Amino acid sequence: EAQVTQNPRYLITVTGKKLTVTCSQNMNHEYMSWYRQDPGLGLRQIYYSMNVEVTDKGDVPEGYKVSRKEKRNFPLILESPSPNQTSLYFCASSSQGAVGYTFGSGTRLTVV
Amino acid sequence: AQSVTQLDSQVPVFEEAPVELRCNYSSSVSVYLFWYVQYPNQGLQLLLKYLSGSTLVKGINGFEAEFNKSQTSFHLRKPSVHISDTAEYFCAVTYTGFQKLVFGTGTRLLVSP
Protein backbone atom coordinates (compact mmCIF):
# COMPACT_ATOMS: atom_id res chain seq x y z
CA GLU A 1 0.00 0.00 0.00
CA ALA A 2 1.31 3.44 -0.97
CA GLN A 3 1.76 5.46 2.17
CA VAL A 4 3.69 7.95 4.24
CA THR A 5 4.61 6.59 7.66
CA GLN A 6 5.42 8.79 10.61
CA ASN A 7 6.67 7.71 14.01
CA PRO A 8 5.83 8.13 16.75
CA ARG A 9 2.13 9.04 16.64
CA TYR A 10 2.28 10.60 20.09
CA LEU A 11 5.24 11.99 22.00
CA ILE A 12 5.55 13.83 25.29
CA THR A 13 8.97 15.21 26.09
CA VAL A 14 10.68 17.77 28.29
CA THR A 15 12.16 21.08 27.27
CA GLY A 16 15.65 20.75 25.83
CA LYS A 17 15.68 17.01 25.23
CA LYS A 18 16.61 16.32 21.62
CA LEU A 19 14.13 14.29 19.62
CA THR A 20 13.60 12.99 16.11
CA VAL A 21 10.33 12.33 14.34
CA THR A 22 10.78 9.88 11.50
CA CYS A 23 9.03 9.97 8.13
CA SER A 24 9.24 7.35 5.43
CA GLN A 25 7.45 6.98 2.09
CA ASN A 26 7.27 3.95 -0.18
CA MET A 27 6.23 5.69 -3.39
CA ASN A 28 9.69 6.75 -4.65
CA HIS A 29 8.60 10.39 -4.39
CA GLU A 30 11.14 13.15 -4.95
CA TYR A 31 9.43 15.82 -2.89
CA MET A 32 8.94 15.61 0.85
CA SER A 33 7.82 18.20 3.33
CA TRP A 34 7.05 18.80 7.00
CA TYR A 35 4.11 20.83 8.25
CA ARG A 36 2.90 21.78 11.68
CA GLN A 37 -0.77 22.26 12.47
CA ASP A 38 -1.92 24.65 15.16
CA PRO A 39 -5.49 25.68 16.04
CA GLY A 40 -6.60 28.71 14.08
CA LEU A 41 -3.43 28.74 11.99
CA GLY A 42 -3.98 25.81 9.66
CA LEU A 43 -0.91 23.99 8.40
CA ARG A 44 2.37 25.79 7.99
CA GLN A 45 5.39 24.42 6.16
CA ILE A 46 8.53 23.86 8.24
CA TYR A 47 11.01 22.42 5.74
CA TYR A 48 10.85 20.75 2.37
CA SER A 49 13.12 18.65 0.21
CA MET A 50 13.14 18.39 -3.57
CA ASN A 51 15.41 15.35 -3.65
CA VAL A 52 18.24 13.60 -1.83
CA GLU A 53 20.58 16.10 -0.17
CA VAL A 54 18.41 19.03 -1.31
CA THR A 55 16.47 20.74 1.47
CA ASP A 56 15.17 24.24 2.08
CA LYS A 57 13.34 26.25 4.70
CA GLY A 58 9.61 26.69 4.68
CA ASP A 59 7.67 29.34 6.53
CA VAL A 60 8.45 28.35 10.13
CA PRO A 61 11.88 26.64 10.21
CA GLU A 62 13.19 28.07 13.49
CA GLY A 63 14.07 25.38 16.02
CA TYR A 64 13.94 22.52 13.51
CA LYS A 65 16.43 20.60 11.39
CA VAL A 66 15.95 18.07 8.62
CA SER A 67 18.08 15.77 6.53
CA ARG A 68 17.51 13.82 3.32
CA LYS A 69 20.20 11.18 3.02
CA GLU A 70 17.91 8.66 1.37
CA LYS A 71 15.02 9.25 -0.98
CA ARG A 72 12.47 7.49 1.18
CA ASN A 73 13.29 9.11 4.54
CA PHE A 74 12.94 12.68 5.76
CA PRO A 75 13.37 12.94 9.54
CA LEU A 76 12.48 16.06 11.51
CA ILE A 77 14.91 16.90 14.30
CA LEU A 78 14.25 19.15 17.26
CA GLU A 79 17.65 19.78 18.85
CA SER A 80 16.30 21.60 21.90
CA PRO A 81 12.51 21.44 21.99
CA SER A 82 10.56 24.23 23.65
CA PRO A 83 6.89 24.39 24.71
CA ASN A 84 6.01 26.54 21.68
CA GLN A 85 6.83 23.55 19.52
CA THR A 86 3.92 21.65 21.01
CA SER A 87 1.90 20.91 17.91
CA LEU A 88 0.58 18.32 15.47
CA TYR A 89 3.16 17.52 12.82
CA PHE A 90 2.57 16.08 9.37
CA CYS A 91 4.99 14.68 6.87
CA ALA A 92 4.00 14.63 3.21
CA SER A 93 5.44 13.48 -0.10
CA SER A 94 4.79 14.06 -3.79
CA SER A 95 6.26 12.90 -7.07
CA GLN A 96 7.89 15.26 -9.53
CA GLY A 97 5.32 16.47 -12.01
CA ALA A 98 2.40 15.42 -9.86
CA VAL A 99 0.49 18.03 -7.96
CA GLY A 100 -0.52 17.64 -4.39
CA TYR A 101 0.86 15.71 -1.49
CA THR A 102 0.13 12.43 0.27
CA PHE A 103 0.14 13.00 4.01
CA GLY A 104 1.17 10.84 6.92
CA SER A 105 -1.11 10.24 9.89
CA GLY A 106 0.55 12.89 12.03
CA THR A 107 2.64 13.10 15.18
CA ARG A 108 1.22 14.87 18.17
CA LEU A 109 4.11 16.38 20.13
CA THR A 110 3.82 17.86 23.59
CA VAL A 111 6.82 19.65 25.11
CA VAL A 112 6.55 20.32 28.84
CA ALA B 1 2.88 35.82 -1.92
CA GLN B 2 0.25 33.17 -2.03
CA SER B 3 -2.43 33.11 0.62
CA VAL B 4 -5.66 31.27 1.22
CA THR B 5 -8.62 32.61 3.17
CA GLN B 6 -11.28 30.42 4.67
CA LEU B 7 -13.74 32.91 6.05
CA ASP B 8 -15.71 30.53 8.23
CA SER B 9 -13.91 28.87 11.11
CA GLN B 10 -16.95 26.78 11.94
CA VAL B 11 -20.09 25.84 10.00
CA PRO B 12 -22.94 24.12 11.86
CA VAL B 13 -25.52 22.36 9.71
CA PHE B 14 -28.28 19.81 10.12
CA GLU B 15 -28.06 16.38 8.58
CA GLU B 16 -29.34 16.20 4.98
CA ALA B 17 -29.03 19.96 4.51
CA PRO B 18 -26.79 21.43 1.81
CA VAL B 19 -23.51 23.06 2.77
CA GLU B 20 -20.98 25.40 1.20
CA LEU B 21 -17.51 25.98 2.63
CA ARG B 22 -15.86 29.08 1.28
CA CYS B 23 -12.30 29.48 0.08
CA ASN B 24 -10.64 32.46 -1.55
CA TYR B 25 -7.05 32.63 -2.73
CA SER B 26 -4.69 35.33 -3.80
CA SER B 27 -2.20 34.74 -6.55
CA SER B 28 -0.97 36.51 -9.61
CA VAL B 29 -0.14 33.33 -11.52
CA SER B 30 -1.89 30.15 -12.49
CA VAL B 31 -2.76 28.02 -9.49
CA TYR B 32 -3.68 24.53 -8.54
CA LEU B 33 -6.33 24.25 -5.84
CA PHE B 34 -7.16 21.54 -3.35
CA TRP B 35 -9.57 20.61 -0.63
CA TYR B 36 -8.41 18.26 2.12
CA VAL B 37 -10.50 16.75 4.90
CA GLN B 38 -9.27 15.83 8.36
CA TYR B 39 -11.48 13.55 10.42
CA PRO B 40 -11.00 13.62 14.20
CA ASN B 41 -7.61 12.25 15.24
CA GLN B 42 -6.66 11.41 11.68
CA GLY B 43 -4.40 12.73 8.95
CA LEU B 44 -5.31 14.71 5.85
CA GLN B 45 -7.20 13.11 3.01
CA LEU B 46 -7.51 14.66 -0.43
CA LEU B 47 -11.14 15.42 -1.28
CA LEU B 48 -10.64 16.94 -4.70
CA LYS B 49 -8.31 19.10 -6.75
CA TYR B 50 -8.49 21.57 -9.60
CA LEU B 51 -5.57 21.52 -12.04
CA SER B 52 -7.12 22.72 -15.30
CA GLY B 53 -10.11 22.18 -17.56
CA SER B 54 -13.65 22.10 -16.27
CA THR B 55 -14.21 24.55 -13.47
CA LEU B 56 -16.57 22.16 -11.67
CA VAL B 57 -14.59 19.47 -9.92
CA LYS B 58 -16.14 16.40 -8.35
CA GLY B 59 -14.48 14.66 -5.46
CA ILE B 60 -15.02 11.82 -3.05
CA ASN B 61 -17.96 11.42 -0.68
CA GLY B 62 -20.30 13.51 -2.85
CA PHE B 63 -18.36 16.76 -2.55
CA GLU B 64 -17.74 19.12 -5.43
CA ALA B 65 -16.05 22.49 -5.84
CA GLU B 66 -16.18 25.23 -8.42
CA PHE B 67 -13.14 27.18 -9.54
CA ASN B 68 -13.96 30.83 -10.22
CA LYS B 69 -10.96 32.68 -11.56
CA SER B 70 -12.58 36.11 -11.68
CA GLN B 71 -13.55 35.88 -8.02
CA THR B 72 -10.43 33.91 -7.03
CA SER B 73 -12.61 31.42 -5.22
CA PHE B 74 -12.82 27.65 -4.88
CA HIS B 75 -15.87 26.95 -2.73
CA LEU B 76 -16.67 23.41 -1.61
CA ARG B 77 -20.26 22.17 -1.73
CA LYS B 78 -22.31 19.14 -0.87
CA PRO B 79 -26.05 18.95 -1.57
CA SER B 80 -26.89 16.78 1.43
CA VAL B 81 -24.54 16.23 4.36
CA HIS B 82 -24.30 13.26 6.66
CA ILE B 83 -23.25 13.02 10.29
CA SER B 84 -20.06 11.33 9.11
CA ASP B 85 -19.05 14.51 7.24
CA THR B 86 -18.26 16.14 10.56
CA ALA B 87 -14.60 17.04 10.16
CA GLU B 88 -12.22 19.91 9.50
CA TYR B 89 -11.80 20.98 5.90
CA PHE B 90 -8.73 22.72 4.52
CA CYS B 91 -8.40 24.61 1.28
CA ALA B 92 -4.88 24.75 -0.18
CA VAL B 93 -3.17 26.31 -3.18
CA THR B 94 0.04 25.81 -5.07
CA TYR B 95 1.22 27.43 -8.23
CA THR B 96 2.41 25.87 -11.44
CA GLY B 97 5.71 24.03 -11.21
CA PHE B 98 6.15 24.30 -7.47
CA GLN B 99 5.33 21.80 -4.80
CA LYS B 100 4.68 23.99 -1.79
CA LEU B 101 1.11 23.83 -0.56
CA VAL B 102 -0.23 26.91 1.21
CA PHE B 103 -3.14 26.11 3.47
CA GLY B 104 -6.05 28.08 4.77
CA THR B 105 -6.83 28.08 8.47
CA GLY B 106 -9.51 25.44 8.12
CA THR B 107 -13.30 25.21 8.51
CA ARG B 108 -14.82 22.89 11.04
CA LEU B 109 -18.04 21.37 9.69
CA LEU B 110 -20.38 20.26 12.46
CA VAL B 111 -23.29 18.11 11.30
CA SER B 112 -26.04 17.48 13.82
CA PRO B 113 -29.12 15.25 13.60
Side-chain angles (χ1 to χ4, degrees), chain B residues 56-94:
Chain B
L56 184 62
V57 181
K58 294 193 182 296
I60 61 172
N61 302 337
F63 284 93
E64 63 181 32
E66 186 158 17
F67 170 61
N68 188 319
K69 189 174 183 178
S70 62
Q71 297 186 6
T72 60
S73 68
F74 190 55
H75 301 330
L76 182 70
R77 302 186 183 102
K78 186 170 183 177
S80 176
V81 295
H82 191 267
I83 295 283
S84 60
D85 292 323
T86 293
E88 189 150 23
Y89 293 79
F90 292 95
C91 183
V93 62
T94 187

Side-chain angles (χ1 to χ4, degrees), chain A residues 57-72:
Chain A
K57 297 177 181 178
D59 298 318
V60 288
E62 294 76 21
Y64 304 95
K65 284 176 59 177
V66 294
S67 68
R68 188 94 183 270
K69 293 183 169 55
E70 304 167 282
K71 198 172 187 179
R72 64 183 290 122

Side-chain angles (χ1 to χ4, degrees), chain A residues 12-110:
Chain A
I12 301 174
T13 190
V14 296
T15 299
K17 185 177 181 181
K18 181 179 178 180
L19 67 91
T20 299
V21 183
T22 64
C23 174
S24 180
Q25 50 93 5
N26 62 0
M27 296 167 281
N28 201 36
H29 284 170
E30 292 82 14
Y31 296 96
M32 297 187 75
S33 184
W34 278 102
Y35 288 84
R36 60 177 289 174
Q37 182 184 1
D38 301 291
L41 297 177
L43 284 87
R44 294 175 293 168
Q45 191 181 54
I46 303 170
Y47 268 94
Y48 65 95
S49 169
M50 291 187 285
N51 216 321
V52 176
E53 303 290 3
V54 181
T55 64
D56 207 348
K57 297 177 181 178
D59 298 318
V60 288
E62 294 76 21
Y64 304 95
K65 284 176 59 177
V66 294
S67 68
R68 188 94 183 270
K69 293 183 169 55
E70 304 167 282
K71 198 172 187 179
R72 64 183 290 122
N73 296 322
F74 191 45
L76 180 70
I77 303 157
L78 285 73
E79 295 264 354
S80 182
S82 63
N84 65 11
Q85 293 178 297
T86 292
S87 187
L88 179 58
Y89 291 86
F90 286 102
C91 180
S93 73
S94 175
S95 65
Q96 190 172 9
V99 183
Y101 280 108
T102 300
F103 283 83
S105 299
T107 295
R108 187 168 292 280
L109 172 65
T110 303

